[in-house]
Amino acid sequence: MLPAIAIVASAILEHRNLQAVRITATPPVIDGRLDESVWSTAPVATDFVQSSPRPATLASLKSEARVLMDDDALYIGVTYYDPDPRKIQAPLARRDDETTSDWAFVEIDSRFDRRSAFSFGVNPAGVQVDGTWSNDTTYDSSWNAVWEAAAKVNDDGWTAEVRIPFSQLAFRLPPGASELTWGINFYRYSPSHGESSNWSPR
């Protein structure tokens, strides 16, 4: 019989699934607040797993991510809780300057090849970073897309909203298919807590 610690580790590291909710009314305003009621209808991605400092253990900071969609775009909403919001780091910087800061990233494998992804990041000041992953580990920061993001620091931590037009992603709807399966992951970095984590462990 597996020891309890092995069973827990296995549950933490298993594959995860998330359903995007189709918007039938007005889409959310990208202001970083997540105060539209439509966000409450979306399933929540939570139980992030540390990549540092304690890989393969549950993150100490609670994180939540949600995905909406309409005919034109994906909408990502994240809520990153922090027990001491005064320590959240949110420097202003130029686009694609991934300086020391709290960060929220969504990475989308729209080809569903499990080796590539389009990466979109935002910090609590609304600074945007984007790039592409290929062959699992090669990152190209020179790629730039047209997308929107906003973020807000609050008493519980910080929140961010992202709108990614489908036109910025590479994908193909197979003939006769009524739905798409993509890969998706959410990443969080908190320098004040010295912790980085992903929703889907890697």
Side-chain angles (χ1 to χ4, degrees):
M1 178 177 290
L2 287 173
I5 190 170
I7 294 173
V8 171
S10 176
I12 290 172
L13 299 177
E14 67 185 4
H15 286 289
R16 302 179 176 203
N17 296 284
L18 188 69
Q19 183 76 34
V21 169
R22 176 173 285 278
I23 300 169
T24 57
T26 304
V29 176
I30 306 303
D31 58 8
R33 298 184 187 279
L34 275 77
D35 51 2
E36 295 91 352
S37 60
V38 68
W39 285 116
S40 65
T41 68
V44 181
T46 190
D47 292 333
F48 282 40
V49 178
Q50 289 187 45
S51 51
S52 178
R54 299 176 61 223
T57 62
L58 283 175
S60 66
L61 300 171
K62 182 181 178 181
S63 302
E64 297 178 346
R66 297 169 169 84
V67 181
L68 306 171
M69 62 175 288
D70 58 18
D71 289 341
D72 301 313
L74 279 181
Y75 300 83
I76 313 297
V78 299
T79 303
Y80 284 173
Y81 296 92
D82 193 308
D84 192 353
R86 295 171 300 175
K87 293 183 178 179
I88 291 173
Q89 297 187 33
L92 287 172
R94 293 182 181 276
R95 178 168 173 160
D96 286 338
D97 183 2
E98 198 173 334
T99 186
T100 300
S101 173
D102 281 68
W103 286 102
F105 275 83
V106 57
E107 294 169 336
I108 300 170
D109 174 13
S110 55
R111 298 183 181 94
F112 202 47
D113 59 13
R114 296 182 170 88
R115 295 179 62 82
S116 64
F118 297 91
S119 180
F120 304 86
V122 61
N123 82 347
V127 176
Q128 293 178 234
V129 173
D130 52 15
T132 59
W133 288 98
S134 60
N135 296 321
D136 286 335
T137 58
T138 302
Y139 185 72
D140 179 7
S141 61
S142 68
W143 179 80
N144 290 302
V146 178
W147 54 290
E148 299 175 63
K152 295 288 181 184
V153 176
N154 55 50
D155 292 341
D156 297 317
W158 65 288
T159 55
E161 289 177 302
V162 174
R163 181 184 185 274
I164 304 168
F166 289 124
S167 62
Q168 306 303 295
L169 304 171
F171 68 96
R172 182 178 64 88
L173 183 65
S178 60
E179 62 180 33
L180 283 170
T181 300
W182 288 358
I184 193 167
N185 205 0
F186 308 100
Y187 170 79
R188 177 180 185 175
Y189 177 59
S190 170
S192 63
H193 293 277
E195 182 173 285
S196 59
S197 59
N198 297 273
W199 172 58
S200 184
R202 67 180 187 190

